[in-house]
Amino acid sequence: MSLAGSAATRKEAGLRFWVEAILVGGVYFAYSMVRNLFGSAAVEPEVAARNADYIIDIEKAIGLYIEADVQAAFIEATWFIQFWNLFYGVFHFLVTFGALIWLYLRFPDDYRFWRRAGLVATASAVVGFAAFPLMPPRLLGDCGEYGACRADDPYIDTVIEVGGIWSFESSGFETISNQYAAMPSLHIGWALWCALILAPRLRRPWSKALAAAYPALTLFAIVVTANHY
């Protein structure tokens, strides 16, 4: 659909950018507040670490506990790890909101359905965070306020040890962010949402392939940086 045609469709559908911006921003703000309210500020590290043990035991039982091996295979490649730190911290937001805005501008007929699906999925994740606070792999060996301080833990917090654009342990992030929001992974949820929007609508084969691969790339990012299981 042309930009002129999509503008007419948006007008007919009663879509207004400022209304959508307030709606999406408001829901995300509320989600963030609730997410952090029931997070590491209100949960003892022992509880989150015990839940991590449950997940690790399940993964071991079904032969999927490969996170430490994946990180160990790449941890010496400094620039490579720094890229995935950047990917984890930035692409998650840029691609998601970029896809939403692109859908609004070019495919207004589909916009409301996918906007609603994204907001429902985001809000629903709060239930998982509250019901199952989960210590991420990067904190199992951390001896700070939110870590388990396990001497035999194989994981490295790549942002602290290798470098990146930000850290949960710096600039006040640890006090305003839920350290134990490791399940469900909204990085994976949003990546799948983006792929379902972008892959069918992009025209060039390489862009379709990249969009389809985005969830797999995100899965690699969350594992190699030890942020999720």
Side-chain angles (χ1 to χ4, degrees):
M1 183 181 294
S2 67
L3 286 176
S6 60
T9 302
R10 288 196 303 274
K11 185 175 181 180
E12 291 175 4
L15 289 173
R16 294 178 176 82
F17 187 83
W18 66 271
V19 173
E20 294 301 315
I22 292 174
L23 175 61
V24 173
V27 170
Y28 184 75
F29 177 78
Y31 151 81
S32 299
M33 295 297 292
V34 176
R35 171 183 183 266
N36 297 336
L37 179 65
F38 291 100
S40 46
V43 176
E44 293 297 323
E46 292 78 9
V47 174
R50 185 168 62 247
N51 287 339
D53 289 334
Y54 293 152
I55 297 300
I56 291 172
D57 288 344
I58 292 172
E59 289 193 351
K60 286 180 177 179
I62 59 179
L64 286 180
Y65 187 57
I66 61 172
E67 290 91 330
D69 292 336
V70 171
Q71 187 181 71
F74 296 98
I75 198 63
E76 297 299 326
T78 300
W79 66 268
F80 186 75
I81 295 296
Q82 288 176 339
F83 169 79
W84 290 106
N85 285 337
L86 179 68
F87 185 102
Y88 180 86
V90 175
F91 283 39
H92 177 52
F93 295 102
L94 288 184
V95 176
T96 302
F97 288 105
L100 185 64
I101 292 171
W102 180 73
L103 192 68
Y104 173 87
L105 292 174
R106 299 304 300 267
F107 300 92
D109 288 334
D110 300 332
Y111 170 79
R112 275 202 172 100
F113 172 83
W114 288 104
R115 181 254 282 151
R116 187 180 300 115
L119 293 182
V120 169
T122 300
S124 299
V126 176
V127 178
F129 299 151
F132 195 71
L134 180 63
M135 184 174 290
R138 64 181 178 81
L139 286 180
L140 292 175
D142 186 274
C143 291
E145 181 179 356
Y146 302 104
C149 200
R150 296 176 178 175
D152 59 345
D153 175 68
Y155 296 103
I156 291 174
D157 188 327
T158 58
V159 172
I160 292 178
E161 300 296 333
V162 181
I165 61 172
W166 51 265
S167 168
F168 281 115
E169 287 76 26
S170 64
S171 304
F173 258 108
E174 64 179 0
T175 61
I176 64 173
S177 179
N178 183 359
Q179 301 288 293
Y180 305 143
M183 183 173 289
S185 168
L186 266 188
H187 277 73
I188 291 295
W190 283 7
L192 180 59
W193 179 87
C194 288
L196 291 173
I197 289 173
L198 297 173
R201 294 173 178 82
L202 292 170
R203 296 180 178 179
R204 296 180 179 177
W206 68 265
S207 60
K208 284 180 172 290
L210 190 60
Y214 182 49
L217 296 173
T218 301
L219 177 61
F220 179 78
I222 68 174
V223 170
V224 81
T225 61
N227 276 288
H228 295 275
Y229 298 91

